[in-house]
């Protein structure tokens, strides 16, 4: 059974750096073909893909946000960490992590965590 | 960057109706398109992958079609539990989501 759960601060100040952790179970990120991605959703708005890390440590970022994002994995602890620098109120959103399976899509999602950016 | 445009942004329909949602990609993505359903306060749920393959546990009232730049999601007979927002996602080059289509009760 695959599960994922996001954790991190619920409130950050403008200009601060956000660090979110995705803790997962039911699969290993050392398995060929697998990956973990981050997606966010501002209140009432659409989904936006942020970053993706593969089993072989290859990393991909949204072109519009790549200068602010870093994704890393800790395979032994079954965690993926996303950092986003220079947070702005426009970054207020629910942040999801998801399991990218061999089919290439997100078959399993975490429950999401709401991050508010405000002074 | 590959953009994906969904239409309509919202629609009203009745239980039993046939509903079609369209997704257009800014360049050919072959069949690398997925559809998700999202209900309020919940994470999205995978419905369709590779344009027309049904994900496990998804009712056969859902179907997907298309290739290249034009894709459709069809709900053949709308059920009460199908009122939700639907998103397409291309995964040919990086990932991009559409703007969503909210299916509301008429």
């Amino acid at each position: 059974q695959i599960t994922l759960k996001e954790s991190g601060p619920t409130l950050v100040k403008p200009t601060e750096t956000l660090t979110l952790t995705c803790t997962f179970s039911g699969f290993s990120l050392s398995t060929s073909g697998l990956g973990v991605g981050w997606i966010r959703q501002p209140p009432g708005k659409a989904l936006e893909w942020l970053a993706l890390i593969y089993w072989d440590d290859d990393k991909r970022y949204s072109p519009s946000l790549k200068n602010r994002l870093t994704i890393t994995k800790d395979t032994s602890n079954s965690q993926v960490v996303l950092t986003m620098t220079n947070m702005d109120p426009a970054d207020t959103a629910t942040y999801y992590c998801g399991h990218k399976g061999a089919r290439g899509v997100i078959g399993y999602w975490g429950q999401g965590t709401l991050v508010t950016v405000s002074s | 960057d590959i953009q994906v445009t969904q239409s309509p942004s919202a629609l009203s329909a009745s239980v039993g109706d046939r509903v079609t949602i369209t997704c257009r990609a800014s360049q050919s993505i072959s069949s690398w398109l997925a559809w998700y359903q999202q209900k309020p306060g919940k994470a999205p749920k995978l419905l369709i992958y590779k344009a027309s393959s049904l994900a496990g546990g998804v009712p056969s009232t859902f179907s997907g079609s298309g290739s290249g730049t034009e894709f459709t999601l069809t709900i053949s007979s709308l059920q009460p539990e199908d009122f939700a927002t639907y998103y397409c996602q291309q995964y040919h080059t990086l990932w991009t989501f559409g703007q969503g289509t909210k299916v509301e009760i008429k």
Side-chain angles (χ1 to χ4, degrees), chain B residues 53-105:
Chain B
S53 296
L54 208 61
V58 176
S60 59
T61 51
F62 289 91
S63 63
S65 65
S67 66
T69 62
E70 295 246 350
F71 303 86
T72 58
L73 172 71
T74 300
I75 310 172
S76 60
S77 177
L78 201 62
Q79 299 303 300
E81 59 269 25
D82 300 335
F83 291 95
T85 300
Y86 294 84
Y87 292 94
C88 60
Q89 178 214 2
Q90 70 82 18
Y91 54 108
H92 176 276
T93 304
L94 304 180
W95 287 356
T96 315
F97 288 91
Q99 309 95 306
T101 296
K102 186 173 184 179
V103 177
E104 299 174 304
I105 300 173

Side-chain angles (χ1 to χ4, degrees), chain A residues 2 5 7-8 17 27 32 36 43 48-49 62 82 88 93 96-97 103 105:
Chain A
I2 291 174
K5 188 172 184 179
S7 60
T17 294
F27 68 99
S32 178
V36 170
E48 179 184 19
W49 170 66
S62 165
L82 180 76
D88 182 88
Y96 295 99
C97 62
R103 292 169 176 167
V105 293

Side-chain angles (χ1 to χ4, degrees), chain A residues 39-50 65 89-96 113-115, chain B residues 38 87:
Chain A
I39 302 96
R40 72 178 179 180
Q41 185 172 38
K45 296 189 177 180
L47 301 167
E48 179 184 19
W49 170 66
L50 301 177
L65 291 167
D91 297 313
T92 294
T94 296
Y95 287 75
Y96 295 99
T113 186
L114 176 61
V115 178
Chain B
Q38 187 180 34
Y87 292 94

